[in-house]
Amino acid sequence: MKSATLLCALLLLVGCSRDDRITRIQIWHQMQPEDRAVLTRVIADYDARLDSVEIEVIYKETEELRSNYQSAALAGLGPDLLYGPSDQVGPMATMQFVRPLDDLFAADEWNRFDERAVVKFKGKTYQLADRIGNHLALVYNKKLMPEPPRTTDELITMGRAATKDLNGDGVTDQWGLVWNFTEPFFFIPWLSGFGGWVLDDQARPTLNTKAAADAFRFVRSLRDEHKMVPPDCDYNTADALFKEGRAAMLINGPWSWSGYGAAGIDYGLARIPQVTSTGLWPAPMVSPLGYSINVHSDGKELAATVELLRYLISDAVQREFVAGTGIIPSSLAVRADSSFITRPHVAESLSQFEVGRAMPTVPELRAVWDAMRASYQSVLGGYLTPEAAAAKMQRDAEQKIQEMNE
């Protein structure tokens, strides 16, 4: 018994010794399937080179990622690397859940990036991005619509013409336009196209405006008056309809575009059509997507995390994502490479990017998203007028910001 106990103890010691040589790194991210496949491949390549490091990659939906990370970090836990959009930087830095990166990298390491990829909050760097843009654009099925509309008047005319009951059973089989019109992020292009925005320079909400009411009215008219949009359409519905060739136009972001080609759709990209009544181009939010380091990561885990981060934002890895999903890379060298510039859809994506507007990184944006969602959905549900919804989301945003700062 004693010898067996001794043997077990020795085995445990041997096991502990072997484990101690391995540094385990965990990444949480919210990449969509096409990007996820590339990330899995490049992580596997990195993992295979290093016997001393094991990397675990975990996907979480955007809101789940945000809330779970906050809970974990509050308890002194969580992944070493957090990947997501730049609007999470302000809240996470304010709560001291992510650490500044300025003492971990030499300043000249960042010179090779688009300056918008080095995300700062109150003078310190909290995120390094592997891509910029993350912007919505108009995607159109060339088989159903050879040329995209340039204005909202054309959008309505062409969208109505493309909406069809193909078999005469009284049910629409093909839609003119689909998009996730239930989420505020997808409403932003129309809000800006009618002259509105979410926050002023002092991070105060600017939602109770004629522009917001007009944009609400326009979105609702596409569905109820022109009947060119499905009555209910969330992200998955829109994505499926377009992949099935049952929608002429779609509004979606770069994380999805390669999937439409893979589904056999001959698609083109274009700017979201100019709003005829204002003459303004819809300005989708543009933002970097990148990595932050958990404030609780330290010791050998921190050292290994920094090296992994260098790899993930390297030119080689960014080229993999360019080839796989067509991102706009943050590396200036990769972006200048002819293999990027001449890729299909790059010029159209950059054209949309040029009229986009930077996503605020302040914590107040979180309150704005939460305030917009309920009012926006109430307008679509017919429970509020556009004017009442604009006023309500302003009140709700101001209240949530006040509560956040108490």
Side-chain angles (χ1 to χ4, degrees), residues 12 83 146 183 197 225 256 296 310 328 337-338 364 402:
L12 283 172
Y83 184 86
E183 275 299 313
W197 193 240
E225 178 184 348
S256 67
H296 301 299
R310 280 197 175 93
I328 299 178
D337 194 317
S338 61
E364 286 80 0
Q402 182 179 352

Side-chain angles (χ1 to χ4, degrees), residues 23 80 99 293-305:
T23 303
D80 300 280
R99 60 158 296 156
I293 295 182
N294 190 325
V295 72
H296 301 299
S297 183
D298 60 8
K300 65 178 185 178
E301 284 77 18
L302 177 59
T305 299

Side-chain angles (χ1 to χ4, degrees), residues 15 18 41 49 123 138 243 246 304 323 329 402:
R18 184 180 297 126
R41 188 170 67 247
R49 296 180 207 166
L138 185 75
K243 284 179 175 173
R246 296 177 55 207
Q402 182 179 352

